[in-house]
Amino acid sequence: IQINQKKLLQINDQIILLSKLIEDLSLIANAESGELKLNIENINLNNILKETFDIFKDSANELNINFINNFQNPIIVDADPYRIRQIFSNIFSNALKYLKPENTLEINFEENKDEFYIKFIDNGPGISDEKLDMIFERFFKVDENRDRNISGSGLGLAITKQLCRAHNWDIKVKSQITKGTEFIISIPKT
């Protein structure tokens, strides 16, 4: 059987996708069962957010989406830096998938006596109430933009939720159609 180069590359791409899918599902299963190993370090959250932000900023510029980082405070927490990068990456990656040119994603920071809050606020298309309840479910995709080919497994936000839980953090979402969406990560002060 003659298999040409193009076919081999397609097969290879599918293998990579399936491997990533298995890895993601394994991460979720381990997190849900409380068996996800975290390499906890004393980290400055702002540095990790800035590093991750910088990785995605160029892509945002190319798509004419404005990323604005208002989070400047050094916040020291005990967390797994690799997993925290994953949380931020998933949120930024999602924004790039669903926001349209001229939309803005703004990162704000707030705190009260018990918790720190990192808020990712956009003025994008928003998410309907019935879909909002399912946004952290596995394989769920908000597909408001049928004209766009939105790739991904639908596991990003499910993973984000589990990684937050594994750190005893919380993530919530608020949204309004045509007004935008807000993801809020709450981090208890220990």
Side-chain angles (χ1 to χ4, degrees):
I1 299 169
Q2 183 105 34
I3 299 181
N4 63 23
Q5 190 66 26
K6 189 175 174 212
K7 271 276 178 251
L8 280 174
L9 288 171
Q10 287 173 336
I11 291 166
N12 189 49
D13 285 349
Q14 288 304 309
I15 290 168
I16 291 167
L17 272 175
L18 284 171
S19 302
K20 176 88 177 84
L21 191 62
I22 290 164
E23 195 182 303
D24 287 349
L25 284 168
S26 169
L27 189 157
I28 291 173
N30 285 333
E32 281 178 349
S33 65
E35 288 175 20
L36 182 68
K37 288 222 30 83
L38 295 176
N39 297 310
I40 301 292
E41 294 174 26
N42 201 243
I43 58 170
N44 182 346
L45 213 47
N46 182 38
N47 287 352
I48 290 186
L49 183 81
K50 189 179 177 329
E51 284 164 22
T52 316
F53 178 86
D54 289 344
I55 291 166
F56 284 87
K57 196 163 178 18
D58 285 345
S59 298
N61 287 341
E62 281 168 30
L63 293 166
N64 202 15
I65 295 166
N66 299 309
F67 271 19
I68 301 164
N69 183 7
N70 298 323
F71 175 12
Q72 307 304 337
N73 309 31
I75 302 298
I76 310 301
V77 296
D78 290 330
D80 181 330
Y82 172 71
R83 297 303 185 188
I84 300 309
R85 230 173 246 113
Q86 232 175 333
I87 289 170
F88 295 151
S89 292
N90 283 344
I91 291 172
F92 290 137
S93 165
N94 237 39
L96 292 182
K97 280 179 198 164
Y98 291 101
L99 294 182
K100 294 183 161 74
E102 306 297 327
N103 282 161
T104 297
L105 173 73
E106 212 170 317
I107 302 137
N108 293 328
F109 172 79
E110 288 174 22
E111 65 179 303
N112 61 26
K113 66 180 176 57
D114 300 317
E115 291 183 300
F116 299 117
Y117 299 98
I118 305 172
K119 298 185 172 189
F120 300 83
I121 303 163
D122 72 54
N123 61 353
I127 304 159
S128 63
D129 286 347
E130 65 272 15
K131 290 186 175 180
L132 208 55
D133 294 340
M134 300 162 75
I135 197 157
F136 294 110
E137 300 289 319
R138 301 168 202 204
F139 303 115
F140 183 75
K141 294 184 189 183
V142 177
D143 190 16
E144 301 293 350
N145 309 309
R146 301 208 179 274
D147 57 328
R148 283 214 290 185
N149 180 18
I150 295 177
S151 62
S153 61
L155 290 173
L157 288 178
I159 288 171
T160 300
K161 179 90 172 173
Q162 289 301 333
L163 290 178
C164 282
R165 279 191 177 152
H167 283 87
N168 294 319
W169 296 5
D170 195 15
I171 184 167
K172 289 191 168 51
V173 61
K174 293 193 257 184
S175 190
Q176 246 182 314
I177 287 290
T178 73
K179 298 260 168 59
T181 302
E182 180 178 355
F183 284 95
I184 304 133
I185 296 177
S186 348
I187 303 161
K189 293 181 176 178
T190 44

